[in-house]
Amino acid sequence: MDKQTVVVLFGGRSSEHSISSATAGGVLGAIDRDRYDVIPIGITREGAFVLEDDDPAKFPLDAEHLPEVVDNGSRVRWPEPGGDRTLRVVHTDGTVEGLGEIDIVLPILHGTHGEDGTIQGYFDTLEVPYAGGGVLDSALCMDKHFMKIALQAAGIAVAPWVTVRRRDWAENAETIREDAAALGLPLFVKPARAGSSVGVSKVAVPEELDAALALAFAEDDKVLIETGVVGREIEVAVLETAEGVRASLPGEIVLTSRGFYDFEGKYLGGDGVDVVCPAELTEAEVSAIQEAGIRAFEAVDGRGLARVDMFLTAAGELVVNELNTMPGFTPISMFPKCWVASGLSYGDLISELIEAGLRR
């Protein structure tokens, strides 16, 4: 069988650059080399596309020194529409090297300029196949305000919220404080268009609201204030396969001493949080969670994959918190853990993503 050439694209301009780079280390180490040839392409924090080393050890998940894509002076030239799919690189001495024709791009980018539909639209314009989410579902799920609207329209429960823009806060702070008070306590304040819990705060008393908004506005000029839902934090992995859309066994985020599942808890192995998969649930609960995950995926016109995060309340209600269209693949990330628990290995999971993109 002829090998197909996969571009593994990572890094990017968002605040989640290092997490994307660490994910690349995992993917480069686990991708099926008997089935795929791999070209690693990094995006620097400034937005330059560079040819990277095909070395998983270069991008470890190290809390003391998170990996990043450093500008090495090379520049990638993507194929143009209507021609062949030859990928080229301009080296520092000005020479141009053809790297061969590519079959698909696997963009493992998190956050803005990667998980928000922009890179997906770029590859659509170039007529280059890619794995993962498309333009619409990526854009919808990157913006938590519009994601909630889409879920509500499909009859899916979400936490009550108000959306605040920077200008509104500057001009009508007292009104916004009153709107927030009506939501009760605790509250969660989060940027509308950031992921990995960057800029997210838990507000336990009203006096903490202003500082929480300042932190969120540092990431985005649109912010959500949400009612804190009391319940178990459940996550389910959704995958588009040749047999249709599948949902994994659900996992659970168990907080022991941490206030919420923040950046450190998600990626750096911080104390106070356990990532458990499969979660201890009844068969009926598992079935309901899987059904809710697939319904949410379909509500946003999902493609490729998503991790669907939700709360399971004491009354048995499922409240969807968010969808992540490119969840992390780090060693402690929930998405691969759930599929491993469901019988799909890390390497086979990557192959499923690639094959789904090639089928389009």
Side-chain angles (χ1 to χ4, degrees), residues 210-267:
D210 288 24
L213 284 166
L215 183 67
F217 280 130
E219 293 292 328
D220 195 353
D221 60 6
K222 185 165 71 171
V223 168
L224 272 67
I225 305 173
E226 291 182 345
T227 298
V229 178
V230 177
R232 298 172 64 182
E233 295 190 45
I234 303 295
E235 299 187 351
V236 65
V238 178
L239 187 65
E240 188 180 17
T241 73
E243 292 75 38
V245 178
R246 292 176 53 199
S248 72
L249 289 172
E252 182 174 9
I253 305 303
V254 181
L255 301 176
T256 53
S257 61
R258 193 172 291 272
F260 68 99
Y261 194 32
D262 59 5
F263 182 92
E264 183 180 359
K266 283 185 178 179
Y267 298 111

Side-chain angles (χ1 to χ4, degrees), residues 65-345:
H65 183 71
L66 289 171
E68 65 177 322
V69 176
V70 177
D71 193 343
N72 57 25
S74 65
R75 291 294 182 267
V76 171
R77 297 291 179 261
W78 294 99
E80 295 185 2
D84 62 27
R85 290 184 181 163
T86 299
L87 188 71
R88 296 175 173 83
V89 60
V90 182
H91 294 288
T92 53
D93 62 1
T95 58
V96 179
E97 177 188 1
L99 302 177
E101 292 198 8
I102 60 175
D103 293 290
I104 193 166
V105 177
L106 176 57
I108 46 175
L109 299 163
H110 304 302
T112 51
H113 309 294
E115 199 178 353
D116 57 0
T118 52
I119 199 75
Q120 291 78 14
Y122 179 64
F123 288 127
D124 280 341
T125 302
L126 295 180
E127 299 177 354
V128 172
Y130 58 92
V135 173
L136 178 60
D137 56 325
S138 298
L140 268 178
C141 294
M142 188 66 198
D143 190 311
K144 297 177 180 66
H145 171 83
F146 288 107
M147 176 198 68
K148 282 175 170 284
I149 290 173
L151 293 174
Q152 276 191 328
I156 296 168
V158 299
W161 87 100
V162 294
T163 299
V164 182
R165 288 164 177 81
R166 190 190 306 273
R167 183 181 61 189
D168 297 334
W169 177 240
E171 296 176 355
N172 302 295
E174 193 54 42
T175 299
I176 290 166
R177 291 189 188 100
E178 292 171 0
D179 292 341
L183 293 172
L185 289 171
L187 297 169
F188 282 92
V189 178
K190 56 184 71 174
R193 295 163 291 204
S196 298
S197 297
V198 175
V200 178
S201 300
K202 182 177 182 179
V203 173
V205 294
E207 291 76 18
E208 295 175 345
L209 179 64
D210 288 24
L213 284 166
L215 183 67
F217 280 130
E219 293 292 328
D220 195 353
D221 60 6
K222 185 165 71 171
V223 168
L224 272 67
I225 305 173
E226 291 182 345
T227 298
V229 178
V230 177
R232 298 172 64 182
E233 295 190 45
I234 303 295
E235 299 187 351
V236 65
V238 178
L239 187 65
E240 188 180 17
T241 73
E243 292 75 38
V245 178
R246 292 176 53 199
S248 72
L249 289 172
E252 182 174 9
I253 305 303
V254 181
L255 301 176
T256 53
S257 61
R258 193 172 291 272
F260 68 99
Y261 194 32
D262 59 5
F263 182 92
E264 183 180 359
K266 283 185 178 179
Y267 298 111
L268 306 183
D271 296 333
V273 60
D274 294 325
V275 178
V276 179
C277 193
E280 292 187 14
L281 298 160
T282 67
E283 287 187 17
E285 288 170 335
V286 169
S287 179
I289 290 163
Q290 290 174 327
E291 181 183 350
I294 292 173
R295 282 185 62 212
F297 185 76
E298 293 174 343
V300 299
D301 202 19
R303 291 171 57 178
L305 76 162
R307 192 192 70 233
V308 184
D309 303 347
M310 62 188 80
F311 296 100
L312 174 61
T313 71
E317 183 186 14
L318 291 171
V319 180
V320 173
N321 186 34
E322 65 177 358
L323 288 85
N324 189 313
T325 57
M326 182 45 71
F329 279 77
T330 65
I332 60 172
S333 294
M334 183 67 89
F335 191 89
K337 276 192 169 187
C338 283
W339 280 115
V340 169
S342 304
L344 189 65
S345 72

